[in-house]
Amino acid sequence: MTRHPHTANAHPWHGFLIALGTGLFFGWGLTLSGMTDPLTVQAFLDVTGAWNPALAFVMGGAVLVSLLGFQVLIRKRQAPVCDAVFHLPKNKAIDRRLLGGAALFGIGWGLAGYCPGPALTSLLAGNTEVWVFVPAMLAGAWLQRQTNRPR
């Protein structure tokens, strides 16, 4: 196995610890912003009732930070810290599968008030409905993999 110079001296747990720390920081941000409460998400979608714009500000902040962060990282680094290359998407097509998946995700998010990040963050928060949502989410991910295997 050939290693990239950036990863040659990396400890085997290095990538795991970075992912764990990043995930914990992300979960803390979701909790702090109130995005682990499904009622916040559903209130954002209730544009004719008690509309709550908090989700728009959280999403806008996340998009801005991501946009700037990715631009800086990709321009300054030849490779990520724990891998030999950046794995950027190659397929940029907006097709029926993408639109159908996005619609299905949006419908599920609106009905349940959870998407994957807040759902996983909520596992330890005492939200009992998430104990039904997360296994259903994992089953859906497994089903998608089974039905979309490369031929």
Side-chain angles (χ1 to χ4, degrees), residues 75-88:
R75 284 194 183 122
K76 285 192 164 207
R77 297 192 61 85
Q78 296 294 321
V81 174
C82 297
D83 203 348
V85 296
F86 285 107
H87 299 277
L88 302 173

Side-chain angles (χ1 to χ4, degrees), residues 43 48 59 61 72 102 104 111 117 129 133 135 137-138 150:
T48 60
M59 289 176 77
V72 168
L104 188 60
L111 290 173
E129 69 271 3
F133 178 85
M137 176 184 75
L138 295 174

Side-chain angles (χ1 to χ4, degrees), residues 28-131:
W28 174 73
L30 288 171
T31 303
L32 186 67
S33 65
M35 294 300 112
T36 57
D37 181 1
L39 297 177
T40 302
V41 174
Q42 291 169 333
F44 173 74
L45 298 172
D46 187 9
V47 293
T48 60
W51 185 64
N52 180 352
L55 179 60
F57 293 110
V58 171
M59 289 176 77
V63 167
L64 182 64
V65 168
S66 295
L67 181 69
L68 296 174
F70 278 114
Q71 295 305 313
V72 168
L73 280 177
I74 290 173
R75 284 194 183 122
K76 285 192 164 207
R77 297 192 61 85
Q78 296 294 321
V81 174
C82 297
D83 203 348
V85 296
F86 285 107
H87 299 277
L88 302 173
K90 291 175 181 46
N91 182 1
K92 298 184 182 193
I94 299 175
D95 58 7
R96 196 169 63 196
R97 286 181 60 213
L98 175 67
L99 294 174
L104 188 60
F105 175 86
I107 291 167
W109 190 24
L111 290 173
Y114 284 113
C115 67
L120 293 174
T121 301
S122 296
L123 281 173
L124 300 175
N127 300 351
T128 55
E129 69 271 3
V130 81
W131 288 96

Side-chain angles (χ1 to χ4, degrees), residues 1 7 16 26 34 60 69 74 102 122 132 142:
M1 178 171 109
T7 61
F16 173 77
F26 178 66
I74 290 173
S122 296
V132 173
W142 177 84

